[in-house]
Amino acid sequence: GRICILYAMTAIKGIGRRYAYAVLRKADVDPRKRAGELSEEDIERVVTIMSNPRQYKIPDWFLNRQRDIKDGKTSQVLANGLDNKLREDLERLKKIRAHR
């Protein structure tokens, strides 16, 4: 709880400093606040924006999964989902013999 919320969010896999800053700006949370100082409603706002960023007008080029192979959607993949997507991509590449 003593780290700035901007840098505390980067501990989550799939979230970098720029994405964390964009999410905090959309949630109207001061990025210089400490992670322990956030109220429950602040945390809830940040989590909802992280889970569906396109509804809060975060541009598509900012997201880390653009035009997914399977469903064609653009999204921000976090934590375990990121590992799963990477594994699926590598297996697909191995299947078509394009992975070195």
Side-chain angles (χ1 to χ4, degrees), residues 55-73:
Q55 290 180 352
Y56 292 93
K57 294 192 172 75
I58 290 180
D60 284 350
W61 55 264
F62 219 88
L63 306 180
N64 66 1
R65 186 75 178 178
Q66 298 175 10
R67 293 186 303 279
D68 191 12
I69 294 291
K70 289 193 174 173
D71 55 7
K73 294 181 180 172

Side-chain angles (χ1 to χ4, degrees), residues 1-98:
R2 293 186 299 146
I3 304 173
C4 282
I5 185 62
L6 180 66
Y7 295 103
M9 285 172 62
T10 60
I12 302 170
K13 194 168 185 179
I15 296 180
R17 288 183 299 200
R18 291 194 59 196
Y19 182 71
Y21 186 72
V23 168
L24 291 173
R25 292 271 313 267
K26 296 289 182 183
D28 293 327
V29 175
D30 184 19
R32 292 172 301 205
K33 256 187 178 176
R34 301 290 170 185
E37 296 174 356
L38 291 181
S39 65
E40 286 296 321
E41 62 185 32
D42 285 344
I43 294 171
E44 204 169 294
R45 274 201 317 257
V46 168
V47 168
T48 55
I49 292 174
M50 280 176 16
S51 60
N52 42 14
R54 294 181 77 193
Q55 290 180 352
Y56 292 93
K57 294 192 172 75
I58 290 180
D60 284 350
W61 55 264
F62 219 88
L63 306 180
N64 66 1
R65 186 75 178 178
Q66 298 175 10
R67 293 186 303 279
D68 191 12
I69 294 291
K70 289 193 174 173
D71 55 7
K73 294 181 180 172
T74 300
S75 62
Q76 180 77 9
V77 185
L78 309 172
N80 295 337
L82 189 61
D83 294 332
N84 292 339
K85 293 288 187 182
L86 181 65
R87 190 177 330 103
E88 287 173 11
D89 288 346
L90 288 176
E91 284 177 13
R92 182 180 54 81
L93 287 171
K94 285 178 194 171
K95 187 176 170 185
I96 62 172
R97 298 190 177 276

